[in-house]
Amino acid sequence: MKSSRPTSELLELLASRGLAATTQRVALLAAVLDSHDRHLSAEDLYRELSRELPTLSRATVYNNLAALGNAGLIEKLETPDGSRYGPVARPHVNLVCTACGSIADVLVGDPDLEALIARAASTGGFQARSVSLSVNGLCSACAAAPA
């Protein structure tokens, strides 16, 4: 899978957070950042990347996702179906459907949401690296489906 981002950009992101740039880590970071509004599971990423990296192990995927998340380079979202990973967008709200598992990012870049987060962080002198809010419920398709 060819990333839409230049390798130099990925290497700079990793270096800026003090992370070594292994082949697997660069590939995982690229895959998550290129996922746009899809939120992928570790298993999705393993299946996608193991085609081009046959020695990739599930443990490597999980360990690198944890490192990338801890560094604030990717977002980890807990859903009823397990953890999902996506790019860190500007502050936003994740709408998580508890029936079908779909996830939609909304209010990305909303000035009122950003002001609320800035106010909350400044109260405690906190420096936020990434922010997301999850709302669990039913998407429009599942809400409209007969019971």
Side-chain angles (χ1 to χ4, degrees), residues 1-2 5 9-11 13 26 29 35 46 55 62 84 90 107 113 128 135:
M1 171 184 177
K2 178 72 174 144
R5 296 170 187 265
E9 179 185 335
L10 300 170
L11 296 175
L13 282 170
V26 171
L29 179 59
S35 68
Y46 171 75
T55 61
Y62 281 98
R84 301 285 186 94
R90 292 174 59 191
L107 300 178
L113 180 61
V135 178

Side-chain angles (χ1 to χ4, degrees), residues 1 23-24 27-28 31 41-61:
M1 171 184 177
T23 302
Q24 295 91 346
L28 273 167
S41 69
E43 188 63 28
D44 293 335
L45 289 160
Y46 171 75
R47 278 194 306 268
E48 186 175 313
L49 294 173
S50 62
R51 288 183 225 126
E52 62 188 69
L53 298 169
T55 61
L56 182 69
S57 70
R58 284 180 174 83
T60 297
V61 170

